Amino acid sequence: MKLPARVKIVDVGPRDGLQNEKQPVPAEVKIGLVQRLQDAGLAEIEVTSFVSPKWVPQMADAAAVMHGIRRRAGVRYSVLTPNLQGFEAAVAGPRAEWPDEIVVFGAASEAFSRRNINCSIAESIGRFAPVADAARARGIAVRGAMSCTVGCPYEGEIAPGKVGYLARLMKDIGVERVDVADTIGVGTPRAVQAALEATLAHYDVDHVSGHFHDTYGQALSNTLAALALGVWNFQSSVAGLGGCPYAKGATGNVATEDVVYMLHGMGIETGIDLDALIDAGVYISQALGREPHSRVSKAIRTKKES
Ligand code: HMG
Ligand code: MG
């Protein structure tokens, strides 16, 4: 199996990881997490979302977090913006505080689209198109997250054709790269490959990433299955944080620590310092009053203590 020599990871912990936390996490803690992730060598960080605070109260401090982070040259900072209102809020401050990339987020499942962003797939594309245009006009990159590409909490199994359909719509409105998300972590390697292949019919492999939640413990296997197709961009959450408020029971993304350990073990470069990443995971987990949800973090810390 020929695999990519290098992988780029977007750590989505500060956004996907924290959005579902019931306890309010202070902006300073989120800023501290972003700092530790960039110190660990993450070149892409999904920082926050400009969404309705009534829908996702945890992200209400998006502007304060973007204001507070200390940016490092070469790191790409992204935020979620589901509509023009969110986009305008994301660029309301000085240019130095704008995101480098915005993320519009749609779903391959109609039911999930309605629950998550309160509109149909077709309506969502109508909302995303002016956001994509406005971002590009300001030199901001545009990514598209595609939820429920394998399974949906409301519709069950999702056919790859629905994923291809959404990918084409994203492409038509100028979304530059897309994330193939297994939102509820039900996917197994062949199903995930089918969703990726449906996307690869519209985007080249350099513009497709894997975003795997680990609810059923399949995310590392799915990562390997994606690597086998040549996919080399992935999203994961430090300490395995997270879940989506509109995907009940779905747990966090695969832990970045676990992905990095696997990749380094296979001789694949990430540019990430695993020990520093583990420290970042411990930092945020302590702030939340729990253990990091990463087997690699636990094993390495236990070994160091003995
Ligand atoms: P809506 O109710 O249809 O919007 O919500 P609306 O335009 O009718 O406006 C209603 C109210 O929301 C108004 O306020 C607006 O001002 C406000 P009111 O007059 O009632 O006081 N509003 C906003 N406020 C702040 N920022 C905005 C904004 N837009 C409207 N951008 C909306 C539509 C999309 C806003 C809403 O459904 C929403 O915020 N949903 C949040 C969805 C979300 O954040 N989900 C989690 C992220 S996606 C995810 O986790 C999946 C992913 O990880 C991939 C995967 O794993 O699948 C990416
Ligand atoms: Mg997600």
Side-chain angles (χ1 to χ4, degrees), residues 38-62:
Q38 64 195 35
D39 289 348
L42 265 302
E44 294 201 35
I45 303 171
E46 203 170 272
V47 179
T48 186
S49 351
F50 287 86
V51 295
S52 161
K54 285 188 193 141
W55 285 61
V56 186
Q58 187 64 256
M59 296 286 114
D61 59 2

Side-chain angles (χ1 to χ4, degrees), residues 41-305:
L42 265 302
E44 294 201 35
I45 303 171
E46 203 170 272
V47 179
T48 186
S49 351
F50 287 86
V51 295
S52 161
K54 285 188 193 141
W55 285 61
V56 186
Q58 187 64 256
M59 296 286 114
D61 59 2
V65 174
M66 287 304 280
H67 174 70
I69 56 173
R70 279 191 291 139
R71 296 193 187 208
R72 169 167 304 185
V75 177
R76 177 179 278 207
Y77 302 90
S78 52
V79 303
L80 268 56
T81 56
N83 53 17
L84 266 181
Q85 188 175 340
F87 177 78
E88 276 154 16
V91 296
R95 191 175 190 113
E97 292 177 16
W98 292 2
D100 302 303
E101 178 175 65
I102 57 95
V103 185
V104 292
F105 48 105
S109 134
E110 280 294 347
F112 189 79
S113 180
R114 288 194 180 281
R115 299 282 181 121
N116 194 38
I117 51 175
N118 205 23
C119 62
S120 69
I121 295 171
E123 283 163 347
S124 75
I125 293 295
R127 292 181 187 184
F128 300 157
V131 176
D133 288 346
R136 278 197 318 273
R138 287 174 171 78
I140 297 173
V142 182
R143 176 151 57 89
M146 304 195 297
S147 289
C148 298
T149 61
V150 185
C152 167
Y154 313 107
E155 289 183 13
E157 222 170 279
I158 297 293
K162 293 188 175 176
V163 182
Y165 171 70
L166 178 63
R168 188 175 60 73
L169 294 176
M170 290 273 191
K171 182 93 185 182
D172 286 348
I173 60 163
V175 170
E176 291 151 5
R177 57 179 188 151
V178 284
D179 313 331
V180 176
D182 182 8
T183 312
I184 53 171
V186 288
T188 47
R190 287 210 188 285
V192 164
Q193 284 183 330
L196 288 165
E197 276 161 351
T199 307
L200 289 166
H202 303 282
Y203 281 91
D204 67 66
V205 74
D206 296 340
H207 295 106
V208 173
S209 59
H211 176 119
F212 306 133
H213 286 261
D214 201 26
T215 319
Y216 285 73
Q218 304 297 303
L220 274 185
S221 314
N222 293 338
T223 302
L224 188 56
L227 286 166
L229 295 182
V231 172
W232 58 280
N233 286 282
F234 293 93
Q235 281 126 33
S236 56
S237 275
V238 67
L241 298 169
C244 174
Y246 301 99
K248 210 171 183 336
T251 60
N253 292 84
V254 63
T256 309
E257 297 90 320
D258 296 5
V259 177
V260 167
Y261 177 84
M262 180 182 85
L263 294 171
H264 289 183
M266 296 170 77
I268 298 174
E269 275 177 41
T270 64
I272 296 168
D273 174 341
L274 182 55
D275 286 326
L277 179 65
I278 288 172
D279 291 346
V282 168
Y283 163 81
I284 188 62
S285 301
Q286 278 175 350
L288 298 172
R290 68 172 81 115
E291 278 289 302
H293 195 70
S294 154
R295 304 267 285 265
V296 165
S297 170
K298 185 164 191 211
I300 291 181
R301 285 181 294 117
T302 307
K303 195 169 153 194
K304 278 189 183 154
E305 280 158 18

